[in-house]
Amino acid sequence: MHSMSGQAIALTTLFCLAPIFELRGAIPYGMSQDLPLLFLIPFCIILNALVGPLVYLFLTTAHRLLNRFNWYQRFFDFMVKRARVKVQTKVEKYGYLGLALFVAVPLPITGAYTGTLGAWVLGMDPKKTFLAVFLGVIISATVVTIVSYLGIEALSFFTKQVHA
């Protein structure tokens, strides 16, 4: 039986909720800390999927409050432009499935944050957006888990060969 360190869970949570890392950083980190996959994968999926509603909540409330500040307007305009460029072509071609596939690609700037922001900018339905982001997060978690596992196995294999 695995013992789960509170520090490993806390850092996994932070990685999962951080815009740059999301679950594509949290899952490999959690695996490196020997967190059980039956805990780690659903935990990361749920946390990362919560980004959609949190981003919408931010955009509909805090955005109105902060929009009166020039520094915020400049930052927000930059983020909106970036999200629109990244998401619009996929959404125009494939709809909500395009949004899910955009979120599913486990690369920087393609996750739940950018996908949700792009959907908000494009005026997409929030509930359908949350479902698309959730599907994308599940696909991304699957890809990241497989790649991380294969990478760990390959590293273990080569390390054993060097020390043999």
Side-chain angles (χ1 to χ4, degrees), residues 2-63:
H2 290 88
S3 79
M4 293 195 288
S5 137
Q7 181 180 0
I9 294 169
L11 285 172
T12 300
T13 301
L14 287 174
F15 284 142
C16 212
L17 294 174
I20 303 229
F21 296 106
E22 297 186 39
L23 62 69
R24 57 189 167 256
I27 289 174
Y29 173 77
M31 289 174 79
S32 77
Q33 299 301 305
D34 293 324
L35 293 177
L37 288 180
L38 289 176
F39 164 80
L40 179 65
I41 305 310
F43 181 73
C44 288
I45 288 171
I46 290 167
L47 281 177
N48 203 197
L50 285 174
V51 164
L54 291 173
V55 169
Y56 257 90
L57 180 65
F58 168 78
L59 291 171
T60 57
T61 57
H63 172 68

Side-chain angles (χ1 to χ4, degrees), residues 118-142:
W120 182 79
V121 167
L122 297 173
M124 297 174 75
D125 178 77
K127 288 180 185 174
K128 290 179 182 177
T129 294
F130 301 154
L131 287 174
V133 168
F134 186 62
L135 176 61
V137 165
I138 290 170
I139 295 168
S140 184
T142 303

Side-chain angles (χ1 to χ4, degrees), residues 21-25 27 45 48 86-87 90 96-116 129-145 147:
F21 296 106
E22 297 186 39
L23 62 69
R24 57 189 167 256
I27 289 174
I45 288 171
N48 203 197
K86 296 276 183 193
V87 176
K90 284 144 188 88
Y96 288 95
L97 180 59
L99 178 62
L101 294 173
F102 176 83
V103 172
V105 176
L107 295 172
I109 312 176
T110 61
Y113 280 96
T114 306
T116 303
T129 294
F130 301 154
L131 287 174
V133 168
F134 186 62
L135 176 61
V137 165
I138 290 170
I139 295 168
S140 184
T142 303
V143 171
V144 168
T145 301
V147 169

